[in-house]
Amino acid sequence: MKQLPKEFYGAMEELQAVDFVLVELTLYLDTHPEDYEAINQFNQFAKERRRLKKVVESMYGPLQQYGNSYSGYPWNWSDGPWPWQI
């Protein structure tokens, strides 16, 4: 298995924490669609998620397929680790 620096795992943990917040806010907003503060929080976390994703991908390669992430050259989808390997 490919060894990655410990910084990778910290970055992934931070990304996963932001993803968790976005899921929870989505569920909340499904039942409270006019909560202006929650919408602002969602948008702030969505912006932070894009930033973190860009940082992680620039250092370690793509995180998502089907056009949600760019590929390096050569095609680097076979490089690990896969999300379930972390």
Side-chain angles (χ1 to χ4, degrees):
M1 179 181 272
K2 181 178 178 179
Q3 291 288 1
L4 292 166
K6 67 179 182 175
E7 293 81 14
F8 171 79
Y9 299 99
M12 288 303 294
E13 186 175 331
E14 189 174 356
L15 188 61
Q16 290 168 342
V18 169
D19 283 346
F20 178 82
V21 170
L22 287 168
V23 168
E24 292 297 310
L25 283 168
T26 297
L27 293 172
Y28 174 80
L29 285 164
D30 283 346
T31 59
H32 299 80
E34 296 185 21
D35 187 330
Y36 185 78
E37 185 177 327
I39 293 168
N40 282 336
Q41 288 177 337
F42 179 89
N43 290 335
Q44 289 171 352
F45 277 96
K47 184 176 180 180
E48 177 63 5
R49 197 218 186 270
R50 282 192 302 274
R51 185 192 72 77
L52 288 170
K53 180 178 176 272
K54 185 176 181 179
V55 169
V56 170
E57 287 184 331
S58 71
M59 297 174 71
Y60 305 109
L63 294 172
Q64 296 177 306
Q65 182 48 293
Y66 305 111
N68 292 311
S69 294
Y70 294 103
S71 175
Y73 181 85
W75 183 255
N76 56 352
W77 277 102
S78 60
D79 295 347
W82 292 92
W84 57 86
Q85 295 175 314
I86 301 173

